[in-house]
Every structure is written in C-alpha cells, then in structure tokens.
Amino acid sequence: DGEPIHEPCACLKRTVLNKLYQNEGLQGLEHENFDTFDERIFPDTPIEGRKQSQRGYIRKYREFCEQYADQFRPNEGKGLLFSGRSGLGKTFLMNCVAQRVLERGYSVVVISAYKLVELMRGYQFDGKGAEQTLRRYLFNGDGAEQVQDILTCDLLAIDDLGSEPMIRNVTVSALYHIVSERNNANRAMIVTTNCDSDLLYEKYDDRIAARLTAPSRMNVIEFVGTDVRR
C-alpha cells in the first residue's frame, strides 16, 4: 500500500507563489511568463542573411525554453545562456523559464549581475571567505518567505551579465566562485548577456567564460533582430 502522496492544493500553491512574488528579484515573474508571452510584438519580416524572421526565431526559442522548464530537474546541471543585444526578449524569456520552474515547486533565485556584484562590494572573495559571504546573503521580502541562497537554489537566473561594475578582487572572484560551485554541484543557471562569446572571454577569467559557453554545460541561444522596446 505504502504511504499516501501528499500534494499541496492549488490554493496553497497560489498563496506560496504570491508570497514569493513579493520578494525582490521575483516580482517580475507574475507578469512575465509563458502565459503573457506575445510573439506578435516581434517583426515577422525576413532578417537579412538569416533563414527566419525575428518572430520565427523567438517562437522557436520560446518552444525550446518552455520544454526546458517543463522538463527541469534539480541537479541535472545543464543551463541556458541567452546572448544578444538589448531589447530582443532575453530577460522576458528568462523570467518565463524561472516562473514555470518556480511554479513546479523548485527553488529559484533571480538577480541582476549588477545587483549581485553590488551586494558583494567590500568583501574579499577567495576560497571559504567567498562561500561564507554568499551563504550569509538570503533574499528577504517584508514578511515573505526566505528564498534559497544563490549557491544552493535549484535554478539561479543572472540577468544582464556584463553590466556589473568590475571591482578589483570582487567581481571576477565572486562570479567564478558562484559559477564553479554550481557547476560542481550540477545546479543549473540561466544567464542573459549582451556579450558574445569573444567578449565573455575578454571580460572574465577564461574559467568563467568556458563554463558559461561549454555546450556540455549550457544551451547557448543567440538572440537576433531589432530592439522591440523602441
């Protein structure tokens, strides 16, 4: 017979989600998700030198990402790297994935690269010192539930990598520690960036860039087209 499986009811799930959405970093997920995704805002005219229109590409990316989110399992490790210019839908699609994974009951942390580095300012990052600092930081909202920290959550979403201040002995060391710790534990990440592969290698330690662009660790998606926010 075995033990009965206890599933939280829909109203309890919604209450928990509403509380999580009050946390800084997760607020956008309530409005930016697969249900509100509208591919019609992207041009459907052919892109010169490409096989599809911008709408065609974003439709394909959306289908891939929704499948990724629906099949997501903790500790399977492989993540997503979204690269391309501003205004192409990278952050929105990142939030879609994060919301779906969160709704499926997994722990998610969403944070901008700028905010992440600003929070680490003033600390020295080397070995255990970095880990202790990172583990002290938990995202809290007013009366909201604590969100899992950036090292151990099931899915970490870092937005706009490359916009953060390059603080000596902080930025690169902190990012390397986060990326390597999560890779070693097979914990997945989503990273959005305006940088192409060459620029990632130029801005960061080779060990960071290699982990972010390795096909064995990340599904790399290049966003193309024009800035739809204009």
Side-chain angles (χ1 to χ4, degrees):
D1 294 334
E3 290 292 322
I5 298 175
H6 298 287
E7 289 280 344
C9 66
C11 58
L12 177 58
K13 286 184 178 180
R14 174 52 54 191
T15 299
V16 172
L17 284 174
N18 286 340
K19 288 183 177 181
L20 287 172
Y21 288 147
Q22 295 171 27
N23 283 272
E24 183 179 2
L26 299 182
Q27 293 175 355
L29 305 191
E30 192 171 12
H31 307 289
E32 297 190 357
N33 51 66
F34 288 116
D35 291 334
T36 61
F37 186 94
D38 185 2
E39 66 182 41
R40 294 171 298 176
I41 69 172
F42 297 92
D44 201 24
T45 53
I47 299 176
E48 186 176 354
R50 299 275 181 168
K51 295 181 178 180
Q52 298 186 51
S53 66
Q54 187 172 352
R55 187 181 300 176
Y57 280 111
I58 203 71
R59 182 186 298 125
K60 182 172 69 172
Y61 299 160
R62 179 251 169 88
E63 290 172 355
F64 177 85
C65 289
E66 188 164 17
Q67 184 180 47
Y68 174 91
D70 287 339
Q71 296 178 352
F72 178 87
R73 294 290 184 275
N75 303 112
E76 291 193 353
K78 196 163 185 178
L80 301 166
L81 175 67
F82 298 161
S83 67
R85 296 191 304 246
S86 299
L88 302 183
K90 300 188 303 296
T91 298
F92 197 107
L93 201 50
M94 178 196 76
N95 285 341
C96 289
V97 175
Q99 191 273 345
R100 179 64 59 82
V101 171
L102 181 70
E103 193 170 53
R104 291 183 58 220
Y106 299 112
S107 57
V108 177
V109 170
V110 179
I111 187 170
S112 71
Y114 186 94
K115 180 70 172 179
L116 177 62
V117 172
E118 282 295 301
L119 289 167
M120 308 307 176
R121 184 189 290 274
Y123 291 98
Q124 294 296 318
F125 291 89
D126 55 353
K128 294 182 179 179
E131 185 172 354
Q132 290 169 358
T133 298
L134 290 169
R135 289 188 183 282
R136 283 204 304 271
Y137 180 73
L138 292 173
F139 296 88
N140 294 284
D142 294 335
E145 307 245 345
Q146 282 190 331
V147 180
Q148 292 288 341
D149 72 15
I150 59 180
L151 286 180
T152 60
C153 63
D154 296 322
L155 179 65
L156 172 65
I158 303 176
D159 190 33
D160 208 10
L161 184 70
S163 67
E164 72 283 352
M166 296 300 289
I167 305 171
R168 185 178 180 182
N169 297 327
V170 174
T171 302
V172 172
S173 296
L175 289 173
Y176 172 71
H177 184 77
I178 294 166
V179 171
S180 62
E181 282 288 307
R182 293 191 64 85
N183 268 245
N184 292 340
N186 285 322
R187 295 190 176 104
M189 296 184 296
I190 309 176
V191 178
T192 75
T193 181
N194 291 358
C195 303
D196 59 18
S197 178
D198 291 341
L199 190 53
L200 286 175
Y201 273 92
E202 182 180 324
K203 286 179 67 73
Y204 303 104
D205 189 296
D206 286 359
R207 296 172 297 175
I208 297 175
R211 284 170 169 81
L212 293 178
T213 59
S216 61
R217 304 298 308 178
M218 302 288 273
N219 298 288
V220 180
I221 297 177
E222 178 190 1
F223 285 65
V224 295
T226 58
D227 186 342
V228 296
R229 290 180 296 196
R230 295 183 178 180

